């Protein structure tokens, strides 16, 4: 089961708090690959487990007002950099925890090129971009916790989960941290 870490705030995120969230999500939820996206950092992916990604300083992460982070436990698609989250298609950047049962139907409906998609989550990202809306999320069949970003709205993230996947949020002032693991938010001081 994958882990999601995200942030949206009026102030930049605390880098140490993001490290704690990524580290624990990797230990408990997924070690096959790790990735982040923010407006300042761009897209950064690695086949390193989340604990290596955030503690070995291989990847410099600069504080920003938004962040999408993901640690992957592979289900659909091989463990490769291309299949690591976040996915980026046009204006959409997306992380997903779950396994979609109808991703091929979504791929066909939004006329996406079969040869360019290997992971169910990437299909969802492509469909959101192709439709220029969140409508494809209403069409999914299967467990899902999703956070996505529209690049045209620099400081905003969009969050969805169904009852089959956990996703929790906590606040420190006007800043919101999101994690797949509730106790990690308490650990970093969220209320």
């Amino acid at each position: 089961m994958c882990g999601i870490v995200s942030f949206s705030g009026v102030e930049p995120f605390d880098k140490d708090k993001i490290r704690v969230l990524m580290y624990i999500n990797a230990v408990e939820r997924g070690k096959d690959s790790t990735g982040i996206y923010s407006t300042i950092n761009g897209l950064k992916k690695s086949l390193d487990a989340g604990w290596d990604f955030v503690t070995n300083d291989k990847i410099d992460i600069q504080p920003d007002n938004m962040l999408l982070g993901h640690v992957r436990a592979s289900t659909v698609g091989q463990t490769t950099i291309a299949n690591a989250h976040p996915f980026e298609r046009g204006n959409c950047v997306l992380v997903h925890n779950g396994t979609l049962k109808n991703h091929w139907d979504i791929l066909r409906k939004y006329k996406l090129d079969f040869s360019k998609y290997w992971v169910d989550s990437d299909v969802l990202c492509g469909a959101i971009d192709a439709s220029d809306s969140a409508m494809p999320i209403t069409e999914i069949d299967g467990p899902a916790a999703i956070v996505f970003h529209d690049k045209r709205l620099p400081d905003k993230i969009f969050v969805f989960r169904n009852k089959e996947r956990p996703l929790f949020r906590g606040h420190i002032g006007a800043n919101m941290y999101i994690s797949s693991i509730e106790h990690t938010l308490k650990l970093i001081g969220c209320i």
Side-chain angles (χ1 to χ4, degrees):
M1 198 173 300
C2 300
I4 292 174
V5 171
S6 295
F7 175 86
S8 179
V10 296
E11 303 163 343
F13 60 77
D14 180 309
K15 189 173 176 178
D16 290 333
K17 291 181 183 342
I18 294 297
R19 282 183 169 158
V20 168
L21 296 176
M22 293 291 285
Y23 190 100
I24 296 172
N25 268 271
V27 169
E28 293 190 23
R29 299 189 64 88
K31 61 180 175 37
D32 294 329
S33 62
T34 306
I36 64 149
Y37 172 85
S38 83
T39 307
I40 291 173
N41 291 287
L43 184 63
K44 297 181 179 188
K45 298 182 182 189
S46 171
L47 293 180
D48 291 333
W51 53 82
D52 286 334
F53 187 87
V54 296
T55 58
N56 292 342
D57 291 325
K58 291 181 188 176
I59 297 177
D60 185 35
I61 302 171
Q62 297 301 310
D64 199 348
N65 287 46
M66 64 78 61
L67 175 92
L68 303 182
H70 190 273
V71 293
R72 184 172 188 234
S74 300
T75 53
V76 176
Q78 297 178 341
T79 301
T80 64
I81 290 288
N83 290 347
H85 298 230
F87 291 101
E88 181 177 24
R89 296 286 181 168
N91 286 314
C92 183
V93 183
L94 175 139
V95 294
H96 167 238
N97 171 28
T99 304
L100 303 181
K101 299 173 188 172
N102 65 332
H103 62 285
W104 297 120
D105 296 333
I106 291 171
L107 189 136
R108 280 188 287 279
K109 178 177 180 178
Y110 291 96
K111 298 178 175 50
L112 303 176
D113 182 347
F114 275 82
S115 69
K116 295 181 181 175
Y117 294 86
W118 299 101
V119 178
D120 56 346
S121 306
D122 192 15
V123 169
L124 184 58
C125 185
I128 290 170
D129 184 63
S131 72
D132 201 24
S133 75
M135 183 58 78
I137 291 174
T138 67
E139 301 165 1
I140 62 173
D141 179 15
I146 299 160
V147 181
F148 77 93
H149 169 69
D150 182 325
K151 293 181 193 175
R152 297 167 295 189
L153 305 169
D155 296 333
K156 296 194 183 294
I157 61 172
F158 300 89
V159 182
F160 167 84
R161 69 169 282 271
N162 60 23
K163 64 182 178 181
E164 298 174 72
R165 284 294 182 263
L167 199 57
F168 303 94
R169 70 173 187 252
H171 292 88
I172 298 174
N175 302 313
M176 179 176 61
Y177 289 85
I178 296 172
S179 176
S180 293
I181 305 170
E182 186 174 24
H183 70 267
T184 60
L185 296 170
K186 294 175 185 173
L187 182 65
I188 65 168
C190 287
I191 54 171

